[in-house]
Amino acid sequence: MRQKIVAGNWKMNNDLWEGMKLASEVVNMAKDEVKGQVKLLLIPPFVSLKSVADLAKDSTNVFVGSQNCHEKENGAYTGEISAGMIKSVGAAYIVLGHSERRMYFNESDELLAAKTDAVLQQGLTPIFCCGEQLDIREAGTQVSHVTSQIEKSLFHLSAEDFKKVVIAYEPVWAIGTGRTASPEQAQEMHAAIRNHIASKYGNALAEEISLLYGGSCKPSNAQELFACKDVDGGLIGGASLNSRDFIDIAKSF
Ligand code: PGA
């Protein structure tokens, strides 16, 4: 069965103390309230990564990841952080290619292919983000846009490596806007992504990949989104900053 995942991308929010408070609340509530096979991920800013990972160390359903990494292992790249460093503090996931990184830091498909390799090389799980801007959706070319992002950054991987990747579909027009994709729009894209993966790696492998939806996902709409056949969870921004909301989303399967 595909892994169900609800990941909280804190973005540039929460200092160390705020982050530790939120992480402890989530770890405690997840223990009592989140049953079954759902994995929760906390994705804090780098400075809180070690402390949040320590808080989640004994949890059976809360794991930790970072929001980005550099593509090189080490070297003279002032201000950057490698996948190996992230691994060393106890994080197991790395988000790559979030639309904010593509937009504000000019991350290209090629760069994201290199970052994916760097993450896999450390034995960590990449959460690869893709999604179209509003003008692309209005032009009706969203499926080819998204499948091309996946193809350019991930299709060089062997089947064995591709199997380790989690993909998050996040329509840019839905991120932080309060405007969510409808369940039909989410399902249509997720099915198209899975078909595209199947065309390269075969049906059996495509069926194993966890595909998350992201973009204004909250307790009031998570249930209808997670009920879609090809939606295996969510990448949550704003609503992950509140432990009650985040846990309620995780209980929406
Ligand atoms: P949002 O962000 O839930 O605040 O829309 C989602 C994301 O950017 O991952």
Side-chain angles (χ1 to χ4, degrees):
M1 214 179 73
R2 292 197 292 268
Q3 178 66 56
K4 295 187 190 320
I5 297 172
V6 172
N9 172 16
W10 295 358
K11 308 192 180 185
M12 198 173 74
N13 293 296
N14 290 330
D15 65 16
L16 176 63
W17 314 111
E18 292 161 339
M20 286 177 69
K21 178 172 177 290
L22 176 57
S24 336
E25 288 169 7
V26 168
V27 167
N28 287 329
M29 291 160 93
K31 187 165 78 188
D32 298 335
E33 297 185 42
V34 182
K35 304 278 177 263
Q37 297 308 310
V38 185
K39 254 189 193 178
L40 283 91
L41 309 183
L42 298 174
I43 320 278
F46 285 128
V47 289
S48 313
L49 211 49
K50 164 92 169 80
S51 304
V52 170
D54 285 348
L55 284 167
K57 193 163 77 271
D58 298 323
S59 169
T60 55
N61 56 1
V62 181
F63 300 86
V64 176
S66 74
Q67 301 174 14
N68 178 36
C69 71
H70 193 267
E71 69 277 19
K72 295 274 172 30
E73 263 182 72
N74 49 48
Y77 302 100
T78 302
E80 292 295 326
I81 294 184
S82 71
M85 293 170 183
I86 291 162
K87 180 183 182 177
S88 76
V89 299
Y93 294 79
I94 301 187
V95 173
L96 295 177
H98 189 280
S99 66
E100 287 148 20
R101 298 226 42 103
R102 292 178 189 261
M103 194 164 26
Y104 303 132
F105 302 96
N106 299 316
E107 293 200 354
S108 65
D109 297 323
E110 295 68 31
L111 176 70
L112 294 169
K115 289 192 177 195
T116 302
D117 292 341
V119 173
L120 289 168
Q121 208 155 31
Q122 292 298 329
L124 304 185
T125 302
I127 302 178
F128 179 81
C129 302
C130 53
E132 80 286 358
Q133 291 87 344
L134 186 58
D135 58 329
I136 293 173
R137 176 147 297 257
E138 282 172 346
T141 53
Q142 66 274 12
V143 169
S144 61
H145 179 85
V146 167
T147 52
S148 149
Q149 286 178 323
I150 292 172
E151 206 170 303
K152 288 183 180 149
S153 299
L154 300 179
F155 273 18
H156 65 287
L157 297 175
S158 65
E160 197 191 327
D161 276 343
F162 197 95
K163 241 193 281 186
K164 299 170 187 158
V165 177
V166 171
I167 294 178
Y169 166 60
E170 301 202 299
V172 180
W173 46 270
I175 295 178
T177 58
R179 187 177 161 190
T180 320
S182 67
E184 294 73 27
Q185 286 172 321
Q187 171 55 28
E188 183 192 37
M189 183 62 82
H190 283 229
I193 293 172
R194 209 178 292 288
N195 282 337
H196 200 65
I197 296 169
S199 72
K200 164 92 176 161
Y201 294 100
N203 264 327
L205 189 148
E207 281 300 318
E208 284 180 44
I209 304 293
S210 292
L211 301 182
L212 314 183
Y213 167 79
S216 298
C217 184
K218 40 189 184 266
S220 58
N221 60 26
Q223 208 163 358
E224 56 179 16
L225 288 161
F226 296 173
C228 298
K229 181 172 160 288
D230 287 294
V231 176
D232 306 307
L235 181 54
I236 319 298
S240 75
L241 300 175
N242 177 288
S243 53
R244 181 72 268 154
D245 286 350
F246 187 55
I247 293 290
D248 283 348
I249 293 172
K251 290 161 75 178
S252 297
F253 288 95

